[in-house]
Amino acid sequence: MYARKRIPVLTGLIAATALALTALSSPAQASSFQDDDPPTEQITIKVATVNGSGCAPGTAAVSVSPDNTAFTVTYSEYLAQAGGNSDPTDFRKNCQLNLEVHVPQGFTYAIATADYRGFAHLEPGATGMQQALYYFQGMSETHTSKHQLSAPASDNWQYTDETDVDQLVYKPCGEERNFNINTELRVGAGDDPAKKSFVAMDSTDGAINTIFNFSWKKCPV
């Protein structure tokens, strides 16, 4: 495992990239929605399936904020590396989560923002990348947000993906559709292949946290 450094955050954090998802609901349905506060009844989120080299069974969990405005995905072993004595297959790690999101009757939701935090050690000439893809099960509309990390670096990184209000993608009312999150980390070795470079998503407690913030609407009666 790498040694975490508590040094200033990478200079010039990459600007937020819009998730620019194509609307999953029809224009007529979308226009009938009214912005609303989060439901007071607690929502529940269950990990239906988890697959990928970055999230072995038992290394990913989901928790919901008490005010129903966000949920956090926590990983414990999600690190891509290249160079040095790393395995040649470790340059790419991914994790696909299929989530069962149960919301109070009469409400629907969209993902308004997603916050990613991590740590990267990139030797001169190395490359690093983090990307994510979101979609509702059974829907063909998807969008990938991608962020490149600059080398050389040995520091924390953070990205926030934000969706414009008119591009928010809401789960169709009255339908049970799981929410899928597919994330990926990639690393390319630096100029000196004997030196290891890596990218991980980590926090001060050593876990890997990704926070997804909800946008809520009431369904048409």
Side-chain angles (χ1 to χ4, degrees), residues 19 62-65 69-75 111-117 134 158-161 181 201 203 208-214:
L19 292 182
V62 177
S63 61
V64 182
S65 66
T69 61
F71 68 92
T72 300
V73 181
T74 301
Y75 309 88
I111 301 303
T113 65
D115 300 318
Y116 298 93
R117 298 178 179 87
Y134 317 90
Q158 177 178 340
Y159 301 122
T160 297
D161 292 332
I181 304 170
M201 283 184 273
S203 65
I208 300 166
N209 292 329
T210 301
I211 301 174
F212 296 85
N213 295 286
F214 287 114

Side-chain angles (χ1 to χ4, degrees), residues 113-127:
T113 65
D115 300 318
Y116 298 93
R117 298 178 179 87
F119 187 91
H121 175 80
L122 298 175
E123 294 288 337
T127 58

